[in-house]
Amino acid sequence: MLWILDNIFNKLCSKLTDFMFLNIVDNPLEKGCRSPNRHFVNKTENNKLKYFKMKFYCLSNDPVHACYVLSFKELMIMLDCGLVMETVLNFLPLPLVQSSKFSTCSNWNHPKLNDGELKKAGNNIFIDSSPEFQPPLAKIIDFSEIDVILISNYMNMLALPYITEKTNFKGIVYATEPTLQIARFFLEELVEYIDTTPKPNQASKWKEFSEFHNLNNLNLELHPLKWKKLFTLDEVHKSLSRVQIAGFDQKIDVFGALEVKPVSSGYCLGSANFVLSTGLEKICYISGSSTLTTQAKPINQNALKNSDVIIMSGLTQAPHINPDAILGDLCLNVVLTLRNNGTVLIPCYPSGVIYDLFEILSQKLDDSGLSTIPMYFISPVAEHSLAYSNILAEWLSSTKQNKVYIPDEPFPHANLVKNNRLKFFKHIYSEGFSAEFRQPCVIFCGHPSLRFGDIAHLIEQYGSNSNHTIIFTEPDFPFLQALAPYHPLNMKVVYCPIETSLNFQQANKLIKDLKTEVLVIPKVYTNPPNIAPNRDDLVIDRQIAKQIITFKCGDCIKLPLKRKKNQVFVDPDVALSVIPQEVMNGVKLAPLSGILDVKDNVYNIRSVDMNCIEGVPKQLLNSLFKKQVSYEYGTMNQMDIDMFLNKLKQEGITDIKTSQTNENDGILTTKIKLINEDISIDISDKGTHIHCGEGKQNLRIKIRDALLSCLNKF
Amino acid sequence: MPDIKVTCLGAGQDVGRSCILLSMGGKNIMLDCGMHMGFNDERRFPDFSYVALEGPLTTYIDCVIISHFHLDHCGALPYMTEIVGYTGPIYMTHPTKAIAPILLEDMRKVAVERKGESNFFTTQMIKDCMKKVTAVTLHQSVMVDNDMEIKAYYAGHVLGAAMFWIRVGNQSVVYTGDYNMTPDRHLGAAMIDKCKPDLLITESTYATTIRDSKRCRETDFLKKVHECVAKGGKVLIPVFALGRAQELCILLETYWERMNLKYPIYFALGLTEKANNYYKMFITWTNQKIRKTFVQRNMFDFKHIKPFDRGYIDNPGSMVVFATPGMLHAGLSLQIFKKWAPNENNMVIMPGYCVQGTVGHKILGGAKKIEFENRQVVEVKMAVEYMSFSAHADAKGIMQLIANCEPRNVLLVHGEAAKMEFLKDKIREEFKIDCFSPANGETCVIRTPLRIPIECSLNLIKKELKAYNAQPPDPKRRRYFNGILAMKDGKLILMDLPEVWKEFNGINRHVIKFSSLIKLETASTNFQIVEEIHSLIKDRLSAWEVKIVDGQSIIIESVVVKLNEENADKNLCVSWESQDEDLGRYILGLLQTIS
Ligand SMILES: [Zn+2]
């Protein structure tokens, strides 16, 4: 047991602790030397002094599908790369097969535009063209200067190919493994949907007239000139191959200047918030988060506490809906429709909430005696999505995780597939689908915008019959606008948005608990949402942080980081050479000197090896390094002056004339003159000035030493 | 300087069991808690009395880290937590946490039910023990407490095997556990970044071997198996339930498929399906290829490999049987061995290392007769083959790992003393770093440098930067840095001198200044004089910044050389503050020589 009792710090160390309060923290940034892009190191070493300022840019008009850029210490960090997809609602749906409805709808002629770019469907006007999306705003920052992109969840990664493949971006992208894999499903599905239904014509004239920019009353600022066609599958694969995987609580070193740590946000599989720290400052980026129990690992709130700045976005998109009743509502509508021999359509994304819906609905169907009703999951990536979700043990809630230890599959859908309760197909025209298809049933199918994907065909098929129901669960698209081109419709329409991300009440509570100096939020969070303009409670509380800064799309704001200090590391031999003096109660001071060694933004003070200095006169080595220097303090009052004179006397300096004057700006000065020697001494509160003729240096030293013995120094 | 201390309770110059005590920064950490398979008495467990003579260990140990699920690394854990008593934190990866209890239970059954041993832990104890375990993911930075941080790296070897980086204060250690630097059929290669630990504790099982290429060994293995079954022999492959077994199964499965062979292969574990399920669910821990194809084809659904039944032992004809445990020290593999050993047509292939005292070790040593406890003697006529399939790093791999993580010191464990000596020399020679290999019970002290973090005023840094940038760029230029270190309320801050007077307004500076006049007798113009003096000083004091101010003063630090003109008499006034005494005097002296 000796090894236990043995104190790890030996005498040398305890001598240190006396003065150097050993608050030893390793600097994780030391590992910065493995950074691949060493260019940065040079950038900072030829430093400009604006070095410690932080700026924040907003490149997206949608706080849920966000895209921000943070510039700090000459680094450019992109936070999320969300794609604004609501734009597609302005376009005519792309049906799988020649659709009587959308191929025959009439041109909508306008005095300014009458060449068939616009079509009337239902009661609305749509653009007859391949749908376009709104990537992050260009021209605000130079994408080639982005060093790092941090992706918080798979929904916020969908614009990545626009940045990595269509700009000069050269940096690194970080995401968690589930974020990368699930984003791959989303992107592959999206591209396949658009690719399988090509449009020969690409309309663009309509963009010239602002009256056509928001044909569907979308509650969003729209800039069609910035919209882009979707990328290709090849671009998706190239883009994703650039992503580096980061785990929760993994400290990622960014060029030695910053440490980035993804922490669980509880919102969906692999979703993360980011903690950016410099050793002295802490900045948190809170994206889609949930304080509820979901399928994912719970939110790590501790990691977000006591930050200097919190940037928060990604709050609920359905703030006016009470989430508690939603699932019950949904199940009820499914059961009622099925009992009525109707079929249920659930437009969905290929991953996420659907895993829960499979679980809950199968249970509900069992309870309602409807166990024989099949569920269909139609997506080009359905099989991969189902298989993949069951190998994510480490990213799941503890209930799901514990199943893996048995070992059981964490999600029950593998079993549902085995028992033929859940069937998956790439498309409704895939081999085997018609043979397997039974009605009534529940069909999960994309895309939730209803503008492309197999769902477009299914709505046409089921829309006219009031026995069937369509249930909207994804809150990304306003369901009325999504359905607009399909009118007239007889099928039942139910809106059950399943939102797990923070609502305003939860967000206010979270921020209050986290205690931040500065909170940075989208401006829209300070006013009640447009869907519920009278709900004053659906805002971020002005009082929850010392300072709240708001931003809107296109803004660049300065973040107030009042940095006054930086961390440096002192080598022990430098520290040991220091001789501290107590100058006042509880305050010790000592001059410290050494050689500064800056590597990857880590400051080290090393001791000087005097022997290897060349080109410096030997007697000046100490002076060069300010070694063995000291600084005098205190005032010379009459008593001190008398003592000083006494000391001079002891040195044999007796022939002295003393006088007092006010001549220097009214400062009382005692003038001491050494008669017969060319030396005079002026003593005031501020200091002592010794004037000394040539060749009197030895005498001067005597006088100096006498003076020093009357003063304090450190 | 603070030390790092390492004491092996196992794995010190041996491979029987891993259990290493690490002490740094006032924290005590246990690395692995293995059981020795070669003993049947209390010697199989680590000697916990070394840590505490009696009573629970919790007060003496701050955390336990388990590298992987092999019993020689985790087998004593339930004994430690439930019988000796330890309630502190225990860390392992998720797959290890999932699989370890199964292997522990398996071993418990063999020990208690088959050998009738007492004083062994119970099923419930295994469960209670596992409840105390915190599972970690790769690269996750886990704060054990305010000062201690750990992080797992991928180690290959077996599913879920990890190397651990441990930091206390600013000292750090990497413990490798068992690892493998070359990818195999189902796992990737160990990976670590340049984390520059003060100490690397690495296994050295194959310290002197440079193993032949993986492919050759595989072909060799398949050839031997095929030849044996072709002539009607039976092949016994003793394995542990998880790990190498899966790799060999994949190997045989693909060979049988390709060669269209019909000889039965059995996997006699009862665990097969369960084991393979773990591989399925932790597929993110396997290699790239398996991960990429798992949706289409699960590598762990075997077509040719069927579950074994005890009744098959006496079946005629050829067959291949995988049976546990791996070192023929107990259980089914030993039972089958006893039956098949006397027949020269049969073959046993030992795919891994066998510790001393086991039957596996004896037959590999060439023993032709094995005597058992009940006086039963078995003649060994069957062919005995050793195929090194256990996934450990070889000498090349160990050197590679050292090169990757750049440790300041290396300590070898889990290997044989003589081989360690060889490797030690090699490491010292190649990396010029110190290398240790303590025996069990011996304490090794490693000195580490200390760095003290302090806060520094930004003003001071900016000032230095400004001065540094004002000079022509020269990468070799030294950056002199000085300030005043202040300690108040237990906090250390490095400040600029003016800030000191501002911050602590109870004290006032008393500047001591000296001035001396030098008479000049020269015909030069003022401009020429100043230029001349400036270049003279600059020439002598190239390390300083020498400035001209107002055309008549030259300033170096607090030293001011001022040219005065009184009635056509010119003189130089040299003044300085007391902190620049040496410099002031030097300049004064310098100027006196030229006047
Ligand atoms: Zn092992």
Side-chain angles (χ1 to χ4, degrees), chain A residues 151-154 176 178-179 182 248 265 268-272 296-297 395:
Chain A
I151 304 290
S152 57
N153 60 62
Y154 49 80
T176 64
T179 297
I182 298 173
F248 285 153
S265 79
C268 59
L269 290 175
S271 71
K297 210 174 162 138
W395 306 88

Side-chain angles (χ1 to χ4, degrees), chain A residues 283-512:
Chain A
I283 300 115
C284 292
Y285 171 51
I286 301 183
S287 178
S289 296
S290 183
T291 47
L292 306 170
T293 311
T294 62
Q295 45 185 253
K297 210 174 162 138
I299 182 171
N300 179 350
Q301 294 193 34
N302 252 341
L304 308 171
K305 275 187 181 149
N306 300 318
S307 359
D308 298 289
V309 176
I310 287 183
I311 301 159
M312 181 173 70
S313 66
L315 300 187
T316 175
Q317 298 187 81
H320 56 304
I321 303 285
N322 173 12
D324 301 338
I326 286 289
L327 277 177
D329 245 31
L330 185 139
C331 289
L332 189 70
N333 276 293
V334 170
V335 169
L336 284 179
T337 306
L338 294 173
R339 288 218 169 114
N340 229 359
N341 255 339
T343 282
V344 180
L345 295 185
I346 302 183
C348 66
Y349 286 124
S351 174
V353 168
I354 50 162
Y355 303 144
D356 295 326
L357 291 180
F358 295 148
E359 188 169 351
I360 294 163
L361 276 182
S362 62
Q363 192 82 52
K364 188 71 192 175
L365 295 184
D366 285 348
D367 296 349
S368 315
L370 294 164
S371 305
T372 52
I373 300 284
M375 294 191 285
Y376 298 94
F377 175 24
I378 317 290
S379 162
V381 296
E383 186 183 8
H384 281 83
S385 170
L386 290 176
Y388 190 73
S389 61
N390 269 327
I391 62 160
L392 292 175
E394 286 146 279
W395 306 88
L396 299 173
S397 66
S398 54
T399 329
K400 295 232 178 297
Q401 206 169 73
N402 284 335
K403 287 193 180 170
V404 177
Y405 291 139
I406 294 178
D408 259 346
E409 256 131 2
F411 287 100
H413 48 240
N415 258 324
L416 294 174
V417 170
K418 231 179 264 163
N419 304 333
N420 273 322
R421 299 277 306 274
L422 175 66
K423 295 169 191 189
F424 55 85
F425 294 93
K426 279 192 155 67
H427 290 286
I428 49 176
Y429 53 80
S430 296
E431 206 187 307
F433 178 73
S434 3
E436 290 264 358
F437 191 60
R438 302 271 179 283
Q439 297 187 76
C441 60
V442 183
I443 308 174
F444 294 86
C445 181
H447 185 271
S449 67
L450 311 189
R451 289 300 176 273
F452 34 80
D454 301 43
I455 192 79
H457 182 80
L458 292 172
I459 296 176
E460 281 199 70
Q461 191 180 332
Y462 290 101
S464 55
N465 188 330
S466 62
N467 279 349
H468 306 308
T469 305
I470 181 165
I471 304 180
F472 289 88
T473 59
E474 293 291 349
D476 271 0
F477 300 92
F479 73 102
L480 289 176
Q481 279 99 327
L483 272 177
Y486 295 92
H487 282 294
L489 278 173
N490 290 321
M491 77 192 305
K492 228 173 125 195
V493 177
V494 179
Y495 179 54
C496 290
I498 298 179
E499 255 290 7
T500 49
S501 59
L502 296 172
N503 62 30
F504 284 93
Q505 196 193 349
Q506 291 160 342
N508 281 325
K509 182 174 184 310
L510 178 72
I511 297 295
K512 216 176 196 170

Side-chain angles (χ1 to χ4, degrees), chain A residues 41-199:
Chain A
V41 175
N42 297 332
K43 262 208 274 187
T44 40
E45 279 169 12
N46 300 323
N47 220 304
K48 298 161 208 153
L49 293 174
K50 64 175 188 190
Y51 183 60
F52 298 105
K53 291 206 177 108
M54 181 177 279
K55 278 185 183 166
F56 175 86
Y57 305 82
C58 175
L59 308 188
S60 163
N61 55 355
D62 180 349
V64 172
H65 307 106
C67 181
Y68 309 122
V69 172
L70 211 55
S71 82
F72 180 59
K73 284 198 169 189
E74 306 215 339
L75 282 176
M76 296 279 255
I77 299 152
M78 184 179 275
L79 304 170
D80 278 332
C81 200
L83 184 60
V84 178
M85 287 198 283
E86 272 184 78
T87 55
V88 303
L89 296 180
N90 287 295
F91 293 81
L92 211 56
L94 304 173
L96 284 174
V97 286
Q98 190 67 278
S99 134
S100 54
K101 189 167 209 155
F102 299 118
S103 58
T104 58
C105 47
S106 54
N107 284 354
W108 186 69
N109 292 324
H110 186 273
K112 287 181 184 165
L113 191 69
N114 54 10
D115 55 358
E117 285 199 347
L118 303 179
K119 292 260 180 0
K120 192 161 193 280
N123 301 318
N124 284 63
I125 314 301
F126 298 91
I127 302 150
D128 187 14
S129 179
S130 203
E132 297 186 326
F133 302 82
Q134 187 169 303
L137 290 187
K139 290 180 185 155
I140 294 181
I141 54 146
D142 179 353
F143 290 123
S144 71
E145 287 188 3
I146 300 271
D147 297 283
V148 174
I149 301 180
L150 306 174
I151 304 290
S152 57
N153 60 62
Y154 49 80
M155 284 309 295
N156 275 342
M157 192 161 159
L158 304 188
L160 193 66
Y162 284 118
I163 304 296
T164 60
E165 306 311 304
K166 292 178 185 291
T167 73
N168 291 325
F169 172 78
K170 301 189 277 284
I172 308 170
V173 185
Y174 287 106
T176 64
E177 171 145 12
T179 297
L180 171 62
Q181 295 306 338
I182 298 173
R184 186 188 304 277
F185 300 149
F186 275 64
L187 288 166
E188 284 176 357
E189 190 196 72
L190 192 60
V191 171
E192 173 151 358
Y193 281 155
I194 305 269
D195 283 358
T196 48
T197 49
K199 273 264 171 188

